[in-house]
Amino acid sequence: FLANLDPRATSQANIRRAISAAYYAVFHLLSAAVAEQVSPGFPAGLRECTQRVLGHSQMFNVAKAFSLQGKKEAKVLPKGFVLPDPISQELASVSNGFKDLQEARHTADYDVLKQYNPGDELALVQQAEKIFKDWNTEKNSKNAPVFLAAMIFGKDWNR
């Protein structure tokens, strides 16, 4: 939708907006899951404040650490902590997709020399949709709470 706002021609700005929106949809999906896990729903607004403290680079580092299917350890976890299960295909897909979308958003937002062809954004929007689907499968796994906790605490566990 965003890429096609101008019915006469797809503009670079609209393609860039579509790429950015795809990333932020996934960012908010995961940050909301983190906040739901670590913050109660009461008092009103506490969960949203928790969601607001999450950092893009921290989340990227966690995604990188969880990107290899079959692994049972990740650098962002406490020393010696082993995941309950090997990283699933879905969690690896969520992690790799998050990294790809964040990098694509950085390019779309900051590399003004990059020229996009109409339709370049479609693959990234589809990747975001796949992340939603894979997270829906993964969110009740034994590794999901560890992944989410690492999103907020991972940089501090091994200080």
Side-chain angles (χ1 to χ4, degrees), residues 87-100:
I87 294 171
S88 68
Q89 177 181 351
E90 290 82 9
L91 186 53
S93 172
V94 167
S95 296
N96 282 306
F98 181 85
K99 290 184 330 176
D100 292 348

Side-chain angles (χ1 to χ4, degrees), residues 5 36 41-42 45-46 50 64 74 87 93 95 106 114 152:
L5 282 176
E36 183 178 343
F42 181 83
L46 180 61
T50 302
K64 184 176 178 182
I87 294 171
S93 172
S95 296
H106 283 155
K114 169 79 173 157
I152 197 166

Side-chain angles (χ1 to χ4, degrees), residues 53-130:
V53 303
L54 291 164
H56 297 272
S57 61
Q58 170 65 19
M59 292 176 72
F60 181 90
N61 290 335
V62 171
K64 184 176 178 182
F66 279 80
S67 64
L68 293 176
Q69 183 180 343
K71 284 182 59 180
K72 285 198 69 166
E73 295 179 352
K75 283 185 175 182
V76 294
L77 299 176
K79 284 182 179 31
F81 186 88
V82 177
L83 291 166
D85 290 321
I87 294 171
S88 68
Q89 177 181 351
E90 290 82 9
L91 186 53
S93 172
V94 167
S95 296
N96 282 306
F98 181 85
K99 290 184 330 176
D100 292 348
L101 286 171
Q102 190 181 101
E103 289 171 344
R105 188 211 45 108
H106 283 155
T107 301
D109 286 355
Y110 303 114
D111 184 354
V112 295
L113 296 177
K114 169 79 173 157
Q115 291 294 304
Y116 292 96
N117 295 314
D120 284 349
E121 75 290 346
L122 186 58
L124 296 167
V125 170
Q126 289 171 340
Q127 187 171 21
E129 290 172 343
K130 182 174 182 344

